Structures are given as C-alpha cells and as structure tokens.
Amino acid sequence: MSINSHSILKRQVTNEESLVTCPAFKSHRRKNYSWLRHGVLSCRNLTSRPAVVNIGALFTFESSIGRVAKIAIQEAVKDVNANSSILRGTKLNVDVRNSNCSGFLGMVEALRFMETDIVAIIGPQSSVVARIISHVANQLQVPLLSFAATDPSLNSLQFPFFVQTTQSDLHQMAAISDVVDYYGWKQVTAIYIDDDYGRNGMSALGDKLAERRCRISYKVGVPPDSGVNGTDILDMLIKVASMESRVIVLHVNPDVGFEVFSVANRLQMMGNGWVWIATNWLSSVLDSASPLPSETMDSIQGVLFLRQHTPDSDRKRAFYSRWRKLTGGSLGLNSYGLYAYDSVWLIAHAIDAFFNQGGIISFSNDSRLRSVKDSGLHLEAMSIFDDGKLLLNNILQSDLVGLTGRIKFDTERSLILPAYDVNNVFGTGFKRIGYWSNYSGLTVVPPEMLYTKPPNRSSANQELYKVIWPGDTLFTPRGWAFANNGKQLRIGVPLRVSFREFVSQARGTDTFKGFCIDVFTSAITLLPYPVQYQFIPFGDGKNNPSYTELVYKITTGLFDAVVGDVAIVTNRTKILDFTQPYVASGLVVVAPFRKSNSGAWAFLGPFSARLWIVTGCFFFVVGLVVWILEHRINDEFRGPPKRQIITVIWFSLSTLFSTHRENTMSTLARFVLLIWLFVVLIINSNYTASLTSILTVHQLSSHIKGIESLKESDEPVGYQVGSFAEYYLSEEVGISKSRLVALGSPEEYAKALKLGPGKGGVAAIVDERPYVELFLAGQCTFRIVGREFTKSGWGFAFPSDSPLAVDMSTAILALSENGDLQRIHDKWLMQSTCSSDTSELEADKLYLRSFWGLFLLCGLACFISLVIHVLQIIRLFYAAPAESASPGQCPSRSGCIRRLLTLMDQKEDPTKNASKRRKLETSLSGKDQDGESLRNPKRKEIERTIGATST
C-alpha cells in the first residue's frame, strides 16, 4: 500500500470513528439506514473540529525577513493555542520549512506539503517562489498567504488561492511617485532586480509616474542570481552616472542593494545633486540588523526609503517588549515579522469561521494524477483540499485588528488602507520625515488620524519634514544634470528666407546668427552646467519652413529642442514645453492707408453716432425735468404752451455754454442742473480735445479697421508662409481658406498691398507683430490697423517635462533683468523708421461706453427728483379741499385726474411763501435787536431819551 493510500484511509477512518461516537448516530444505527444521513448532518458541527489543524510555513530561514518571521510565526501559534475563544479545543500546528530563496526548492517543499493534511501555507517571502507554487496551490485548493511577496501581479485572477497579507508593491510605487512629484522631479533612473518581483515593480512604478506626468528615463536590471559581482555593478553605475536623471530608485534585494551603494559611494554618486530612493528592502535590514557597520552606514547617508506603516497600539508595544525578551536584543523586529504574526491569526480566525459554517477537513485524490502513478515521482500522493474554497472565502472576508492594524481585504483582494513611513538615513540611524497613504497622500500626521476626516490629496496639503540629502545638505537636489555621455543636443533651427534678422545661416558654414540665436547662446551660458549642442537646419532654403512641422519633430525624436522665432500657441503647448517668452508677440493687421482731410463735417468726428443721439436726448430730457420742477413756482417757466416749449428747448441747449437766463427756484431743479452741468463739462472737454486733434493732426484712414472688418468682407488676406496665422485665420476667425494668400517675404508683402484686392493683391496682411514692425520700418505707406487681437510670445521648444526648459526660462529672465535681452534686441531689430508720419490710423472716436456712467448718474438724479416732486403733488392733492367733496376725494376718476393735472399746472400761492418769509424776517430781526440791546445798554438808554424828547 502506498503512503498516500495509507494517509487517505487513515483520514477516512478517523472521520468514521468520530461519527460512531456521536450520540445521534448511536440512536439511529440500529434503525432503518435512511436515518443515517440525518444523523451525520446533525452531528457535523460537533465532529468536524479535529484535535489538530496543520498549516505550513515556507520561507528562507537565513534571510533578514526569514529570521524574524520564523520567531513571529511560532509566537503567533503559541498565542492562538493559548486563546480558548478562537479554535475552541482545536490546536494549531505549523510545519516550518526552508525554501532557501530558491524557486525550485520552494516548489519541492510545497509539493511535500501537499502530501500531508496541510490546510493553508504561510509564505513564501519571495515573489518568484510565490508565483511558482501558486500554480500548485490553485490546483490543490490550498490557500497560500504570503506576508512578504509584494509583486503586484500576484493579486491577479490567475492566482485565486494566493493572498497577500502585506502591502502590494502597487501602493509602494504610488508612494514613491508621490515623493518624486512632491519634490518636482520629472524623471528617474530605476535599478531593479531582473526577476518577476523587480520587473513587475518597475511596471507599476512606470504607470504611477505617468499618472503624475513623470517617467522612468532609464532603467537597468541586475541579474537575480548571486553571480553578480562588483565589476558588473561598477559598469552599470558608470552608465547610470552618464544619464541625465539624478534620481535613482533602487528596487533590489539587500545583498545587491548594499553592493550598489558601496560602489556608488566610490564613484561619488552619493554626494551633492544625487537622490537615492530605496524600496522597503532597506527597512527590513535596518529594523532587524541595526546598527549596521559604520562602513555600510556611511555608504547610505541621505538615502530615502519606505517602510510599511503599522499604527501604534498598546498591543504592538507589548509585543515589541516581549520580542526584546525573546531575542535578547540580538534581532530587531521588522514590519514583515508583524505581518507574519498577523497571518497566523488571520488563518486561525478563518479556520474557526470555517468550522462554524460546517466545514470539514477532508482530502481527495486528483484524478488527473492517476496517469503518472507508476512514474516513480509519487505525484499521486498529493490530494485536493475538498473545502479549500470555503476556507479561502473566510480568509478574504475576515475583518480583525492585528499588530499591523485593521486586517480586511477590498474587492481587489488587497489589504485596505495601505500606508508607508517615509524615512531618511543620516548619522548612525534614520528618522521618519512623514507618511504616505492612498487616502491622503504625503503627510506628517499618522494616517490613522486622518481617516476620520474627508480625504484631501491636493498639492497644498502634501507635506514632509526636512531631508538631509546625500552630501549632507538640506538643499533639495534639482534631480537632474546634463547628460555626460558625449551626446550633443540636436537643436532644430528654421532655415528662413525672409526676415533673416531673426535667424539665418551663414552662407557656406554650419553656423547660425540672428536675434533668436543670440538670445539662446546668451541664456545657455548662464546655466550652472555645460551643455553640448549642435544646430541643425530645417527647411529647403527656398521657402520658409512650416513651424508646426518643425516643432513636431521634437516628439518624433529627430530634434532635442527647437530654437528660433517659434510662437507659443495652444496646440503646441499640449505636446511640448516652452521656455519663458523672450519676445512679446501677437497677430496684427497691416493695411494701406491714405491721409484724410478734415472736411466740412469734421466737427461731427469726435463723437460716435450713438453718443450724439444719447447726448441730444439728455439735453431735452434735462430741460423737460427742470421745466416740470419749476413750472408751479417760477414765472419764467410759465405762460402759453408755445412759449413754454421754446423755454424748454432754449434752456436745455443753453446749458451747454452755461448761458441760460432763467433762474431756478426749486431745490430739486438746482440739484438736477448741478449734475447735468458736471456732465456737460466732461463731455465738452473731451469733444474739444478730440476736435482739436482732428483739425490739427494729419489723420490716416483705411477702409480696413481691424480683424472684424476683414472677417465681414470677402477680400483676400495675406499671411506669412509657415506661420501659424493660416491656421488661426481659418479655424479660429472663420475666414475661408480660399481668401488666404501665402506670402514669403517683405517684398511680396509690399507688392500685394500696393496692388490691392482688385488687381490680384490683398486687402490686408495678418502677421505677428515682430515681423510687422520690421516690415514697417522700411515701408511708410502701410500701417497697423485695429488692435492686436492675440497675445502670445516666442520661446524655445523642448520635449514635455524637460528640466532644461525650466533652467532656460530662468536664464531668459536673468537676461531680461540685467538688460542683455534689450541690448540684443537693439542690435538686431532697432532700425530706422518712417519719420514722415508716425500717427496712428483713424484716431479713435469717443464712444458711449466711455460716458455711460455719467449719463446714468444724471438719469438717476432726474428720476429721483421727479419722484420727490410727484410725491409732493400727491400730498397737496389729498390735503387741498375740493368744491363738492372732502379733501382727497373726487366724484369720479376723470374728475380726480383733471383735478390732479390742474394742481400740477396751478401756480403756487405766493402769499403763503410771503407770509412765511415775513414771519422769518420778523423773528430774525427781533433776535438781532435783542442781541444788540444786550451788547450795548447805553445805546438803548439814549434811544429812549430821544424818543421821549420827540414826543
């Protein structure tokens, strides 16, 4: 009998014996056999809990992770068996085996596990070994719980029985990407172990960096076997040092990692300007083997590294204290040890739930292995865990709190709330500079304190403490340096045939000159590092090249940059980065002009038609309002209708010159007149100034007023060959392409404008202002009409996220501040201009929009005064007695209206005002006399004497 047959028979006998001891089975075993099944089901929960449940553990004993994990697993098993509430009488037994970090040995040990009653396996720690034995676990339905295999691809549907009880590298790479983005770096160099663990980690890093518009500019793999030596690493790092990026992500195993740091230190790659970010392999060593030798610590100064974050708790602190007693301080506890400890508890809780749901530990043969029974491999000894899926579901549905915090899986079978500590090596140890979590990003507050608050991933909320970088500096490295690999920058330069003052190639040579070239060479000398470059002409030399095609050559890799008169427009900025503009630019319209005489109707020129109409209306409105306010109390505003109309017209027009002879008596009328005279003063002053300009300055006129008049007409429009003006006019402005005429030089500009649209020329030319200003310097018969209708500038183009673009922008700003940029401009573009006439075309008219505030103020004054006047009339209407009714009442509606109109037209009784004035005068004179008597009593006595004598 084979070993497998014996073990299966033993398991079946054990189950039958347990059924026989069940009371329900005993009561029915002598009765009809149909009761047997009922007895078995009723006793299942009592008999399905065996005395011992076996689990396996597979990892590398002599690794920094394995040494800690072995003790942690054994202690966890002790704690589970000591807790009567978890498995209730069933003991947990763990069979620990060594995979020796070998995929082959790991597979062999996994197959040996499958010959026993193992219901779950903890481990392995290697992602490569995990991937191999996951296939076996899938077939035999045994859950595989790894506390250290972090390969993000292991959570795929390909391995349904594999469960990561630690954080996936997908989250670790997200944390590294956030750190890179936080410090403003755009590209990194990646050094990784060239196996499934390293390659899949780099794939995740690339995806996460791309989400933040960053990238891996160069990556190099290290062979996974132990055959790699210092010479290989030296050659690798020399190549890395020649690259542009100075940010290096190291995703390897500890042995290779420390060798890389040692060689990098000898190559002075651990000094100023360098950034090293290690994944959590470094934390496992520093936590468990600290302190490291001084030589090792010296080689990793300034390194950033991540460690799985485990929330602080009383239970965790108690376990750390217990750990120190167990190991005597010779072995530190790293985060993988905590995850290994929690993995045991996770299995225990899942097995307990498994038993509560009626699960039975039973195994059966795999029929597919019968064909290899006689092969000598004894593969038939492996058996399938019948209820493995039930146990797996209980594992994935678990929700408990362990040493590492809350243990619960999301829908993607990953632990919820992933978080990492961000640490910085300095001196003889390291310090934590912050935390990362997928809930709130980078913070200096523990993530568990933020889970109760709304998530905030805004850039303003991201924060880390100060870092001591390689080279013992607090200054954040730029993260890149110009590549020192002997490669020159290939800079595309447009080969222009017109406006060569901006950029041109010296005949018979490879050198270029011009305004744009001088700006570039001056800026590049201000960079804090040398830049090797070569200018490469673009174009056929017969026509100006297409600038859109030129800049797109950067995206194809033909050019590393483009230098020239390149406009910064929206569709180009979507795929490229531009420097700070070194020239302000924008599209303008150039048209022919003629001198215009003042003419007989020049006095109408200062105001637009709408302003004339509104001003005239307000003259009569103000006159009417003043008439209404003065009509009842002022005789000058009364009389026959003809006289009153003439009075209104005369009064309103005479206010223009302040010559009105009518006096105003009403306070409201004086208020309205005061506001109106102020409006008239402003309008009169502007009219006089504008008319003076029209009559004394030669005016230039053109039937083209700007881009709007071009759009509304059907005349041809010229543009420069290769310019973006063609796209803008056709796509943005809406001018038909059939109306657009390509022109290649200033001479063609002048010829087309002189011919005009009737003789095969153009009505106007649309081009960028720098070209137009250079063109007009020698052409005195054309002018810019209208306003500049786009705002842009010229800059140097670089690939997206190029750090050189940022540094060049800083250099251009420095040129502008120290005056060099203006001197370069004057050298190339300061030319003689037409001195005969420099006036603008068509001096702007005065429009209503410039005065609507004044008219609004005057209108409000009129309205308020009329409202107050009407309220006064209504008060008098209700207060005055009627002939046949009491005050305020009328016999009919028409009667009320007639009475109201009569009251408005009725002259106010002067006796009332006279009586009021007399009383006021008497009162004032009495007060004056009393005051005088008090001041001069002798005078009063003399007056009495004189009065008595006269009597």
Side-chain angles (χ1 to χ4, degrees), residues 51 204 253 284 299 310 330 333-334 342 358 398 483 491 513 577 625 663 745 754 807 830 856 876 921 939:
N253 57 48
S284 65
S299 67
T310 54
S330 61
L333 176 61
N334 55 41
D342 283 350
S398 297
I491 298 179
K513 61 181 181 179
D577 277 355
V625 170
N663 294 321
S745 65
K754 289 178 180 178
D807 288 352
M830 183 63 70
L856 177 63
L876 292 175
E921 291 173 358
R939 180 178 178 181

Side-chain angles (χ1 to χ4, degrees), residues 533-548:
Y533 61 90
Q534 63 176 133
F535 290 135
I536 300 175
F538 180 80
D540 57 9
K542 299 178 181 179
N543 297 293
N544 291 334
S546 169
Y547 280 63
T548 300

Side-chain angles (χ1 to χ4, degrees), residues 355-368:
F355 288 145
N356 290 337
Q357 296 170 7
I360 297 178
I361 297 178
S362 62
F363 299 82
S364 59
N365 284 330
D366 189 346
S367 58
R368 292 170 294 183

Side-chain angles (χ1 to χ4, degrees), residues 495-498 540 542-547 720-722 743-744:
L495 196 58
R496 295 194 59 88
V497 296
S498 62
D540 57 9
K542 299 178 181 179
N543 297 293
N544 291 334
S546 169
Y547 280 63
Q720 184 181 171
V721 174
L743 302 172

Side-chain angles (χ1 to χ4, degrees), residues 807-911:
D807 288 352
M808 285 293 290
S809 294
T810 305
I812 291 172
L813 288 175
L815 289 177
S816 177
E817 292 172 357
N818 61 26
D820 288 345
L821 190 60
Q822 184 62 43
R823 283 188 285 271
I824 297 173
H825 176 275
D826 296 344
K827 171 186 175 182
W828 290 98
L829 306 179
M830 183 63 70
Q831 304 201 9
S832 60
T833 58
C834 297
S835 58
S836 59
D837 198 342
T838 58
S839 58
E840 291 290 335
L841 281 174
E842 290 270 345
D844 289 340
K845 290 178 178 290
L846 298 175
Y847 292 93
L848 178 62
R849 61 176 175 267
S850 301
F851 301 98
W852 71 268
L854 289 173
F855 287 120
L856 177 63
L857 180 64
C858 185
L860 287 175
C862 293
F863 176 76
I864 293 172
S865 299
L866 285 176
V867 169
I868 295 174
H869 181 71
V870 170
L871 292 176
Q872 292 174 346
I873 296 297
I874 293 175
R875 182 175 62 83
L876 292 175
F877 172 76
Y878 281 100
E883 297 178 357
S884 58
S886 60
Q889 296 182 356
C890 299
S892 64
R893 178 176 298 178
S894 60
C896 286
I897 295 175
R898 285 195 300 272
R899 183 169 167 229
L900 181 61
L901 294 176
T902 301
L903 187 61
M904 293 177 66
D905 184 60
Q906 179 182 352
K907 180 174 174 58
E908 186 175 340
D909 187 1
T911 59

Side-chain angles (χ1 to χ4, degrees), residues 624-637:
L624 182 61
V625 170
V626 171
W627 177 83
I628 292 173
L629 298 175
E630 291 286 323
H631 180 67
R632 296 186 71 251
I633 61 175
N634 194 337
D635 291 335
E636 295 181 358
F637 288 88

Side-chain angles (χ1 to χ4, degrees), residues 572-588:
R572 295 173 183 173
T573 57
K574 292 178 180 178
I575 58 173
L576 300 171
D577 277 355
F578 283 86
T579 62
Q580 172 81 14
Y582 58 89
V583 166
S585 180
L587 293 178
V588 293

